[in-house]
Amino acid sequence: MSEPREERYTHGLSRRELLKLIGMASGMVITGPISAHGGLGSLWRRQPVVPVDEWHKGVCRFCGTGCGVMIGVKDGRIVDVKGDEYAHNKGRLCIKGILNRDILYTSDRALYPMIRHNGELKRATWDEAMELIVARFQEAIQQYGPDSVAFYGSGQLFTEESYTANKLFKAGIGTNNVEGNPRLCMASAAVGYLSVFGKDEPAGCYEDIDHADCFFITGSNTADCHPIIWERVMDRKRAHPETYLIVVDPRRTRTAKHADLHLPIYPGTDVALYNAMIHEFIRLGRIDQEMVQEYLTFRRGEETVTFEALRAHVQKYSPERVADLCGVPADLIRQAAYRFATARATMSLWTMGINQQSQGTAANRLLNAMHLLTGHFGRPGATSFSITGQPNAGGGVRDTGALAHALPNSRLVTNPEHRAEMEKLWGVPPGTINPKPGYHTIALFQAMERGDVKCVLCFCTNPGQSLPNVERYREAIRNTFFVAVDAFHPTRTTELASVVLPAAMWTEKEGVFSQSERRYHYVPKLVDPPGEARSDLEILVDFAVRMGYGDLIRARTPKEVWDEWRQISAHSPYNFAGITYERLKKERGILWPCPTEEHPGTRRRYLPGEDPMAQGNRRFDFYGRPDGRAVVWLHDQEPFQDPTDAEYPLILSTGRIYEHWHTMTITGKVPALRSVHPEWLMIHPLDAAEYGIQDGMEVIVKSRRGEQSFRAWITEEVRPGVVFTTFHSAKRLVNRTTADIVDPFSKQPEFKRCAVSVRPQEGSETAYEG
């Protein structure tokens, strides 16, 4: 069968293979669109080095790997980007990292404020736009109270920006309606860590990759979505071929193709699988008894139970009992459990495939439990590591507490002591912070739909494309006074907004990102933003002052905000008071905790002698928990909330590809990537035959919520009964079909599983040839 997404060039490499090869190389630039049918001018080729006046250290704008880059500037423009050989990525960059050099100069940058008049966005001055925004917010607050307004942010804002917004809305305006797109990607990981260890964020670091001799990669196509982390895994495998790689994924992805053992699980059945693996750990006698007796406690809901209760619980999850549900043969489950438990050091890596489920929190808790129970924790190479999707979802949103239920450094708005601490630190009267959590993301857009939320400030994200069941919430955006602050226009959100404000991005402003291993690092301002665009911090400060909160928001430059924030952190186990701008400008990032300017940063948490927050001389100090013990949670596999049936017999799952990122607002307009169109739907040959589908045919994917057309890609990369597409395309909105079901603990939506039907589109009878 044909594989239209793996076209071959004349030199024998596929488009994707070529991109990856070039992404790892140096001195290579793109000369034109990527085409399987063009001549030499359409290929990547070496060119003379671009003249550069100055090189500056920085960080990639894209995923949560947080690769160090060297940024070349000439005549006030970014002209080249290369990997920083002294950073953790050792000079490597993927294709998106290389193309950081082009993202500031695409044709669709937002250049000036716009206000909607009679259904059309019209150019306005900054004063006109800000006066209107402030008037509408003040009117709503006066008439309906502070919970009638909201902030919706992003894991792509700098930490200084998210911190300022959170402080303004919670300690100033008086609402906890502070949300953001990390609710869509990392909330289950955050709740998982918080409920197991008492504090959020991974305990390990990238260096653990260099010491693991077993990798358990689940819910992550690391090779395509975090390719530089993947290359480090491959370095370990190349240097130590005995290193064992287990991949759990419904698709035979590029990651899975490298696996020693691939478990092609049905989406949404991870809880059953991990219970089965724990069953095997116990059966094999591979439980770390010291951990059980000294460092763990066991919970079923609100009830504290014993290890024997866990033993009894997993009896119903033997490999034979879960094999049909998971779609994985029992012997493969046993092999995975044996390899995981008996390795010298096992490292788990996961991301959205685990988090974006209605049982995402349960799956995260069980992944952590697998490490704790077997003792694969707190040693070089032994750790449970959730990879972040965005460049600052961890430091900017999770750490600052910029979500509706949270306050900085893992504090909660429902906790009176936590509220009192933050009121004192922020210098506001007792009782200022509302004890009631705000609306989580899906609830927020439903409140907009009802008219309960009147005004929203939305920064650096695209909910008009990225939300599940998106048509419902696009209508809610239309009917709300919605301010979209973005570097790009039009997007599927700015096209709906009441006001659009142009934002600076990346090196057009300065600030701090934090990536997956708790490494804070600095992005310098190197060039001016286009047109009338302003930094997000400048916009927030202007809004705060006009709203009358100038006395609260006294820190108004990135450095001033960072200095305030790091001193706030000193009153928590997150303590990174020692991470100053001066250090960040010199060093290749620093891992927190880092309490003093002399401290080198912390590779592994909860270890006395290594983690400065850990006390005593025992093996571990789980200082986030009142009893000093990490929690192993007992969870059952729950029934599916959007089950397959005769009308909707297939499971749809969504994700990313190597070349693009999120909703393509950035990568979609980069010239080098314009010809990469992720508008296909992967379907297995058996399903295609059953439903009369030919390769390349236009098909309709229909769910209980809506439908969308795609081009069929018949491939054995997906298993029978499962179809897959990306959420990248602004033209073909897969989120018209996805479910707005949320995890009961994290409130994260279930993007990875919904029931659909697939049928040929009327009039589509021939296969796609191009």
Side-chain angles (χ1 to χ4, degrees), residues 181-355:
N181 62 15
R183 181 74 71 178
L184 308 182
C185 62
M186 298 309 300
S188 292
V191 174
Y193 281 131
L194 187 62
S195 59
V196 170
F197 300 109
K199 297 298 172 188
D200 188 16
E201 300 274 18
C205 60
Y206 291 157
E207 184 188 288
D208 286 312
I209 297 171
D210 306 334
H211 300 281
D213 59 0
C214 178
F215 291 98
F216 186 75
I217 300 180
T218 181
S220 169
N221 182 12
T222 320
D224 281 350
C225 300
H226 295 89
I228 304 306
I229 293 177
W230 173 251
E231 280 303 307
R232 195 158 178 172
V233 172
M234 288 292 96
D235 284 346
R236 177 66 179 172
K237 182 80 168 171
R238 285 186 285 263
H240 298 273
E242 71 279 7
T243 301
Y244 201 79
L245 179 58
I246 305 166
V247 175
V248 183
D249 198 300
R251 294 191 294 142
R252 192 170 177 264
T253 62
R254 192 165 70 92
T255 309
K257 289 172 185 176
H258 283 80
D260 297 293
L261 181 62
H262 175 212
L263 277 58
I265 191 173
Y266 280 123
T269 61
D270 296 83
V271 169
L273 175 65
Y274 306 149
N275 274 324
M277 292 183 67
I278 293 171
H279 173 281
E280 287 300 287
F281 299 159
I282 295 172
R283 187 184 68 81
L284 293 169
R286 291 292 176 172
I287 300 298
D288 186 323
Q289 294 300 326
E290 182 188 15
M291 289 293 292
V292 170
Q293 294 168 16
E294 301 292 334
Y295 298 104
L296 301 180
T297 189
F298 298 84
R299 296 278 297 275
R300 181 191 286 116
E302 297 298 319
E303 179 188 8
T304 299
V305 296
T306 65
F307 174 76
E308 292 306 315
L310 174 67
R311 184 196 300 272
H313 172 77
V314 297
Q315 286 303 306
K316 57 188 174 186
Y317 291 100
S318 68
E320 289 75 15
R321 290 187 176 185
V322 306
D324 288 344
L325 173 66
C326 295
V328 179
D331 65 323
L332 296 189
I333 298 173
R334 282 192 291 268
Q335 288 180 49
Y338 176 80
R339 289 286 186 169
F340 185 109
T342 60
R344 181 190 54 81
T346 295
M347 183 176 188
S348 289
L349 297 167
W350 72 91
T351 184
M352 308 313 155
I354 300 303
N355 301 334

Side-chain angles (χ1 to χ4, degrees), residues 10 62 209 232 355-356 394 418 441 493 500 531 541 576 632 638 739:
T10 56
F62 289 102
I209 297 171
R232 195 158 178 172
N355 301 334
Q356 291 177 333
H418 292 177
T441 290
T493 300
V500 175
V541 168
F576 51 85
V632 170
E638 301 292 342

Side-chain angles (χ1 to χ4, degrees), residues 11 13 18-32 43-50 55 79-83 93-95 97-102 672:
H11 45 62
L13 293 176
L18 186 59
L19 285 169
K20 292 180 175 65
L21 177 63
I22 300 307
M24 300 307 167
S26 62
M28 303 293 283
V29 296
I30 193 164
T31 61
L43 299 181
W44 296 78
R45 65 187 181 194
R46 187 174 298 278
Q47 288 188 336
V49 175
V50 178
W55 288 98
V79 295
D80 203 1
V81 172
K82 61 185 180 181
L93 292 177
C94 73
I95 185 59
I98 291 174
L99 293 176
N100 274 287
R101 68 176 178 229
D102 296 335

Side-chain angles (χ1 to χ4, degrees), residues 37 74 239 242 262 291 310 381 403 414 531 546 683 729:
H37 311 295
K74 181 177 175 58
E242 71 279 7
H262 175 212
M291 289 293 292
L310 174 67
L403 291 170
T414 55
R546 291 174 187 260
I683 185 168
S729 177

Side-chain angles (χ1 to χ4, degrees), residues 140-157:
I141 293 167
Q142 183 177 5
Q143 291 189 20
Y144 304 103
D147 286 339
S148 66
V149 302
F151 174 85
Y152 190 73
S154 168
Q156 299 161 57
L157 291 173

Side-chain angles (χ1 to χ4, degrees), residues 76-97:
R77 287 175 63 90
I78 305 298
V79 295
D80 203 1
V81 172
K82 61 185 180 181
D84 183 351
E85 62 183 290
Y86 299 106
H88 71 83
N89 49 304
K90 302 176 184 178
R92 289 168 164 161
L93 292 177
C94 73
I95 185 59
K96 293 187 289 293

Side-chain angles (χ1 to χ4, degrees), residues 5-19:
R5 297 294 296 169
E6 289 293 325
E7 300 161 315
R8 295 275 156 182
Y9 295 104
T10 56
H11 45 62
L13 293 176
S14 73
R15 171 186 57 77
R16 183 167 294 192
E17 289 166 345
L18 186 59
L19 285 169

